[in-house]
Amino acid sequence: MRYSGFRVLWEGLTGNGGWKPAWRDPAPKAEYDVVIIGGGGHGLSTAYYLAKNHGITDVAVLEKGYLGGGNVGRNTTIVRANYFLPGNSEFYSHSLKLWEGLERELNYNVMHSQRGLINLFHSDGQRDAFVRRGNAMINRGDDAVLLDREGVRRLLPYLDFENTRFPIYGGLLHPRGGTARHDAVAWGYARAADARGVDLIQNCEVTGFDIRHGKVAGVRTTRGEIRARRVAIVVAGRSSQVAAMAGLRLPIESHILQAFVTEGLKPVIDHVVSFGMGHFYISQSDKGGLVFGLSLIHI
Ligand SMILES: Cc1cc2nc3c(=O)[nH]c(=O)nc-3n(C[C@H](O)[C@H](O)[C@H](O)COP(=O)(O)OP(=O)(O)OC[C@H]3O[C@@H](n4cnc5c(N)ncnc54)[C@H](O)[C@@H]3O)c2cc1C
């Protein structure tokens, strides 16, 4: 079913009887070409692009809870391409371009809002670092605007510029940065992958791997054993634990990132604003809640 304004109007006038579930609820088959563990944004988009770009549709996504119920459904919704280091920055630059065409591609409203993201800086040294970052962004083809203190004041007049422990020297504005509802992104990819024949299996936890002659031949799950020619682990913070079931020790560790959201308030914050002397940032959701994120490390 194609979603459109006309469809909403038509369904509204005819009793809303025509809406269909956004994806099927199939029982797992005994075997797939590819099994993807994890029904978050990355697992579902992997399934979608395997089907769309590579014609591989004999694919199952196995999710232990419900689709989009992991990190992707509880994050602070920021999308941006304001990274500095090579490798990392190209990755985000490409992703931001994908975000810009995603709603049309998936025929799904992910509430993508390019409201601009401002990184505040609080010292001369930090200004130098942000100038370098901004130049790197521009060289890569992304957008960056250096704001002095008055420039920040014009855009963010509600900030305290006077009696602060870390005075605001200026900011780096990334106009194409903003927010998007990541859980809707998961559902958009789920719907589009399902339409291309991918089986999305919820409430199906992978509990072990079937390894034969040193090669993964399938997975054990709470809904039975499933054979697979290829298995992808796409489980974010659970990566080390799931890989350990296959005897792999990954050279990574998971860290906690916290978010909190207030009750709905009148619109007060137009941008995404990031404090420069720690990992702390804020935006306002379309429902009005102030969305805060913070961690003890920089990501
Ligand atoms: C508080 C917070 C704020 C964040 N803010 C932002 C932000 O503003 N912008 C941004 O871009 N990113 C943000 N992130 C990061 C972003 O949310 C994640 O990088 C992204 O959602 C990860 O997607 P994923 O599909 O890899 O993982 P997830 O969405 O976590 O999906 C992994 C799935 O694997 C499933 N799973 C795990 N183990 C098993 C198993 N054994 N069997 C079957 N299924 C299993 C889980 O149930 C889960 O649904 C934030 C993260 C957090 C925690």
Side-chain angles (χ1 to χ4, degrees):
M1 173 193 283
R2 203 175 154 69
Y3 295 159
S4 66
F6 175 74
R7 167 67 70 176
V8 171
L9 194 64
W10 175 257
E11 291 297 336
L13 292 173
T14 56
N16 282 307
W19 298 113
K20 302 266 182 311
W23 49 81
R24 296 164 296 129
D25 186 19
K29 294 194 296 189
E31 182 169 2
Y32 290 92
D33 279 344
V34 179
V35 156
I36 294 169
I37 309 171
H42 291 133
L44 292 163
S45 58
T46 304
Y48 171 72
Y49 291 116
L50 276 179
K52 183 189 163 222
N53 293 352
H54 304 282
I56 301 170
T57 54
D58 188 25
V59 178
V61 177
L62 309 183
E63 167 52 50
K64 73 174 178 179
Y66 58 92
L67 296 181
N71 283 282
V72 80
R74 342 156 164 251
N75 68 25
T76 46
T77 74
I78 300 168
V79 294
R80 59 192 172 109
N82 62 351
Y83 289 77
F84 179 56
L85 296 176
N88 207 20
S89 53
E90 289 83 356
F91 182 80
Y92 285 95
S93 189
H94 180 67
S95 345
L96 190 56
K97 292 189 189 96
L98 287 181
W99 282 110
E100 286 169 337
L102 199 65
E103 295 180 315
R104 190 173 289 273
E105 166 149 7
L106 299 180
N107 177 224
Y108 205 88
N109 181 9
V110 304
M111 298 168 76
H112 185 215
S113 158
Q114 293 184 290
R115 59 186 66 182
L117 186 153
I118 300 174
N119 285 105
L120 301 175
F121 47 78
H122 310 272
S123 69
D124 288 332
Q126 219 180 17
R127 181 194 293 114
D128 290 349
F130 273 110
V131 168
R132 280 205 299 282
R133 182 187 286 240
N135 284 335
M137 290 161 66
I138 290 167
N139 284 339
R140 213 171 46 227
D142 290 312
D143 57 337
V145 181
L146 192 71
L147 303 172
D148 61 11
R149 188 182 160 93
E150 289 315 306
V152 174
R153 201 193 291 269
R154 267 194 300 280
L155 291 178
L156 314 175
Y158 49 82
L159 292 182
D160 185 350
F161 288 82
E162 311 310 332
N163 305 304
T164 56
R165 165 110 158 73
F166 299 109
I168 297 165
Y169 279 46
L172 186 67
L173 168 66
H174 174 34
R176 281 167 61 235
T179 56
R181 264 194 73 161
H182 284 55
D183 47 356
V185 174
W187 302 327
Y189 273 121
R191 179 169 164 270
D194 172 87
R196 287 171 185 266
V198 171
D199 281 358
L200 308 174
I201 323 270
Q202 304 185 69
N203 299 310
C204 181
E205 179 171 359
V206 170
T207 53
F209 288 83
D210 177 13
I211 298 177
R212 293 183 197 172
H213 311 296
K215 211 176 149 197
V216 173
V219 290
R220 288 192 291 279
T221 80
T222 47
R223 295 180 66 177
E225 297 194 358
I226 303 174
R227 292 189 302 280
R229 271 194 273 282
R230 294 278 187 278
V231 175
I233 300 175
V234 197
V235 296
R238 295 270 173 204
S239 298
S240 308
Q241 287 155 308
V242 174
M245 294 186 213
L248 294 173
R249 187 160 183 264
L250 300 184
I252 57 171
E253 56 187 51
S254 299
H255 287 258
I256 293 174
L257 179 62
Q258 301 280 7
F260 71 93
V261 184
T262 69
E263 63 186 26
L265 302 172
K266 285 184 181 173
V268 53
I269 295 180
D270 295 331
H271 306 83
V272 179
V273 186
S274 174
F275 172 59
M277 295 307 285
H279 188 215
F280 181 74
Y281 52 89
I282 183 170
S283 65
Q284 188 163 20
S285 78
D286 292 334
K287 262 167 57 181
L290 300 181
V291 181
F292 300 86
L294 74 156
S295 74
L296 299 178
I297 49 150
H298 277 275
I299 53 169

